[in-house]
């Protein structure tokens, strides 16, 4: 029977980093992965290109990009910054590049290069990988650690695999991910294991996910992408997120980078009202926009209103704007009143979309919720309840914006755990 210094459950970004770091520090490490290959979710991140981190050097900026319990990561980020992630992979033979928004990708645009590098480092550091699914664990009773007198409710005696194998180890690390992209193996197993150890699981909900709307007009605009659009997310009428960028209309509602980032701020869906306010012409103030409309109307002097917005707006949204404006579609623009123009300007600057619900968690890039950060030591990632248990990655109740921040969080928490085993 093998006895390991550390057994890691889950061979994603966090689990691989923890296993490699601990092994580099001389630990005897076993890595357990339910899939046939490691890094299944890494292979699909960044649309198959793998946005490994965000190349920014200020820790406060990193934390502000993690709306879900970002302060918990202060110690982990202090020890492992994006520059460390970049050096880690480049020294492993992966050339990286920084693109718009400080997003970092392999020069090859192949996520497989990142996974291959992790595989090489696991083998180089003699981490043993087995393919099994952990279904249960055995706890032993009350534990008191060394001279410090730190008391724990319990410790793990062994993990039980679906294969029937028992895995004995000095320490255990759960890095099984959340519930997003269940096809990659993230089906919530880690939450169940944590609960068996006495941990509280903050309710899991989708984050970085598209949104269902209650407005029928979004379906009429299906396929339309708006770029350089002003965006505000309101919670009960108060702005909680704002930015300028890209939004996509879909058959169910809205998606795109702005929507995904804003969804991370929706914490009480179903309890509070959420609206998106778009500024379709953010570069123009209301007076300038009104002057622009007047010029267009002068050019199309004798045409109907419905046929006079082609220079101002994308084709597919024009019927929606005409309908919402309340102006008769067949009215000649040369008789449209100043008041009607004022309402049109207000509509273009405050185009309102009503949010109904999240898309399913299975469609989310990451999950919000998970193992409560109050029960984890933020410096070591060690459980405050179970003596020999650690956590890393998305299984923890931490979630960030798109742009490489979630993988940076996974690598940083994995490194912290691996360093402090």
């Amino acid at each position: 029977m093998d006895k390991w210094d550390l057994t890691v459950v889950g061979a994603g970004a966090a689990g691989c980093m923890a296993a490699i770091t601990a092994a580099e520090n001389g630990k005897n490490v076993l890595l357990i992965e339910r899939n046939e290959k490691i890094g299944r979710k890494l292979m699909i991140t960044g649309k198959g290109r793998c946005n490994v981190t965000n190349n920014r050097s200020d820790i406060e900026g990193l934390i502000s990009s993690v709306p879900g319990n970002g302060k918990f990561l202060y110690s982990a980020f202090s020890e492992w910054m994006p520059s460390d992630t970049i050096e880690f992979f480049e020294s492993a033979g992966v050339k990286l590049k920084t693109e718009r928004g400080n997003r970092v990708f392999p020069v090859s645009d192949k996520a497989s290069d990142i996974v291959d590098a992790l595989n090489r480092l696991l083998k180089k550091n003699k981490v043993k990988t087995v393919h099994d699914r952990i279904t249960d664990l055995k706890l032993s009773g009350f534990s008191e650690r060394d001279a410090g007198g730190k008391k724990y409710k319990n410790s793990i005696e062994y993990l039980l695999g679906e294969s029937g194998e028992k895995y004995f180890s000095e320490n255990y690390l759960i890095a099984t991910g959340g519930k997003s992209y269940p096809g990659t193996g993230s089906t919530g197993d880690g939450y169940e294991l944590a609960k068996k150890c006495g941990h509280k699981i903050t309710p899991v909900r989708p984050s970085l996910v598209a949104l269902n709307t209650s407005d029928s007009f979004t379906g009429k605009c299906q396929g339309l992408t708006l770029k350089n659009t002003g965006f505000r997310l309101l919670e009960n009428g108060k702005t909680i997120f704002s930015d300028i960028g890209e939004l996509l209309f879909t058959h169910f509602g809205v998606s795109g980078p702005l929507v995904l980032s804003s969804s991370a701020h929706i914490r009480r869906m179903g309890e509070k009202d959420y609206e998106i306010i778009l500024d379709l012409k953010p570069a123009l103030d209301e007076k300038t926009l009104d002057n622009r409309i007047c010029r267009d109307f002068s050019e199309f002097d004798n045409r109907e209103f419905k046929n006079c917005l082609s220079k101002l707006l994308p084709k597919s949204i024009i019927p929606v704007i005409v309908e919402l404006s309340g102006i008769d579609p067949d009215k000649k623009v040369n008789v449209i009143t100043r008041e009607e123009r004022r309402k049109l300007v207000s509509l273009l600057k405050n185009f309102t979309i009503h949010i109904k619900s999240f898309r399913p968690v299975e469609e989310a890039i990451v999950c919000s919720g998970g193992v409560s950060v109050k029960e984890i030591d933020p410096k070591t990632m060690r459980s405050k309840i179970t003596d020999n248990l650690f956590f890393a990655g998305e299984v923890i109740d931490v979630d960030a914006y798109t742009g490489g921040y979630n993988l940076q969080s996974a690598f940083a928490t994995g490194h912290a755990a691996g360093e402090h085993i």
Side-chain angles (χ1 to χ4, degrees), residues 246-317:
E246 187 174 305
L247 175 140
L248 169 68
F249 288 99
T250 70
H251 65 284
F252 55 76
V254 286
S255 187
L258 286 173
V259 173
L260 298 183
S261 291
S262 71
S263 69
H265 293 266
I266 301 177
R267 301 283 164 177
R268 301 181 69 178
M269 185 75 83
E271 299 175 40
K272 296 192 174 185
D273 293 325
Y274 293 93
E275 297 175 318
I276 290 170
I277 308 294
L278 299 182
D279 183 347
L280 301 178
K281 294 293 173 182
L284 305 178
D285 60 26
E286 292 197 359
K287 183 178 180 181
T288 307
L289 179 56
D290 184 47
N291 290 337
R292 164 70 191 276
I293 291 170
C294 285
R295 289 200 305 273
D296 286 357
F297 283 2
S298 295
E299 184 177 342
F300 300 118
D301 186 41
N302 204 34
R303 288 192 191 177
E304 298 84 4
F305 174 55
K306 63 185 179 184
N307 296 321
C308 292
L309 299 176
S310 58
K311 286 193 170 184
L312 192 65
L313 297 166
K315 182 178 179 180
S316 58
I317 202 173

Side-chain angles (χ1 to χ4, degrees), residues 51 53-58 61-62 65 82 97-105 243-244 401-405:
N51 182 187
T53 188
N54 191 284
N55 192 7
R56 61 187 307 168
S57 57
D58 59 316
L62 280 177
S65 299
K97 59 183 177 180
T98 300
E99 297 186 357
R100 178 179 56 84
N102 292 319
R103 291 167 165 83
V104 179
F105 294 91
D243 202 354
I244 292 179
Y401 294 145
T402 57
Y405 296 107

Side-chain angles (χ1 to χ4, degrees), residues 161 220 236 244 325 416:
K220 296 175 183 177
N236 284 0
I244 292 179
S325 73

